[in-house]
Amino acid sequence: MTEPHFDWQWCEQQGQLCLKTAQGLHRTPLLCRSDMLQVDFTLGQAELYWQSLFALEALHWPAEAVFAACIDAVAHLEFGVADAHKSFYLQNSHSHQHPTPFSLVQLCGRNQALALVLDSTATQSRLMLLSELETLTGRVFHAGHSFSSLHDRLSLYHPPQTPWRKSA
């Protein structure tokens, strides 16, 4: 598992926001602001990284995939601006749940997709897709894309539990 480190730095590479670590460069899905040269990874960002990591643990993904999703979530929260509402592109889940930040949710267009809640208010949530979503109109949003949606389009995701081994 990769842990946040004091020598990580945000930088711009070919117009995209990247994180420079000892293992190399992680390119996020965010376009970079023109005024950003190099910015240190902060303690607050490390906390957001850990919150994302704890949320994604339940998925049992490979460590590289979890690392990428955590860094993308931090980038969206710190530097990104969510796209406008996409609720009209999604099926109504008839859910009356209020997801909290760093909850895993499912949403449905033409297919079901998994997302991480980045921020939540009384009526809507800002999400980052963890899997590809095809909307009801046929538009495709890739994993890492961030947008807002009304709560009635989301349902909490409960990953399947791995069964306990029986002891002899």
Side-chain angles (χ1 to χ4, degrees):
M1 170 176 60
T2 307
E3 295 185 16
H5 202 267
F6 69 90
D7 65 353
W8 288 6
Q9 290 192 320
W10 295 102
C11 62
E12 182 269 339
Q13 284 286 321
Q14 299 169 343
Q16 281 189 285
L17 180 64
C18 298
L19 182 68
K20 197 182 294 186
T21 70
Q23 287 78 30
L25 200 64
H26 172 75
R27 190 176 305 273
T28 71
L30 273 71
L31 296 177
C32 197
R33 298 186 319 241
S34 60
D35 63 339
M36 177 182 254
L37 295 175
Q38 271 192 313
V39 179
D40 291 336
F41 196 80
T42 66
L43 189 57
Q45 292 168 1
E47 184 178 335
L48 295 172
Y49 175 90
W50 285 113
Q51 288 178 301
S52 300
L53 180 71
F54 294 144
L56 298 175
E57 274 182 335
L59 298 177
H60 303 291
W61 284 1
E64 302 81 33
V66 171
F67 172 77
C70 290
I71 294 304
D72 291 351
V74 173
H76 276 293
L77 284 165
E78 291 291 294
F79 304 105
V81 176
D83 273 1
H85 267 280
K86 303 296 183 208
S87 300
F88 50 91
Y89 287 129
L90 305 171
Q91 293 181 24
N92 191 325
S93 71
H94 304 288
S95 173
H96 301 289
Q97 299 168 340
H98 182 137
T100 58
F102 302 101
S103 298
L104 294 174
V105 294
Q106 284 183 311
L107 49 154
C108 198
R110 287 188 178 173
N111 69 317
Q112 272 197 329
L114 186 61
L116 178 68
V117 176
L118 300 176
D119 192 22
S120 190
T121 65
T123 58
Q124 66 184 6
S125 290
R126 182 176 172 199
L127 313 168
M128 182 185 79
L129 289 174
L130 298 172
S131 60
E132 190 173 271
L133 171 69
E134 184 178 357
T135 66
L136 296 174
T137 60
R139 188 169 177 196
V140 175
F141 294 107
H142 300 284
H145 187 79
S146 175
F147 61 88
S148 295
S149 175
L150 295 173
H151 289 165
D152 65 358
R153 304 301 199 268
L154 311 174
S155 59
L156 290 178
Y157 177 73
H158 302 287
Q161 299 293 321
T162 51
W164 289 93
R165 287 186 170 176
K166 292 184 178 181
S167 57

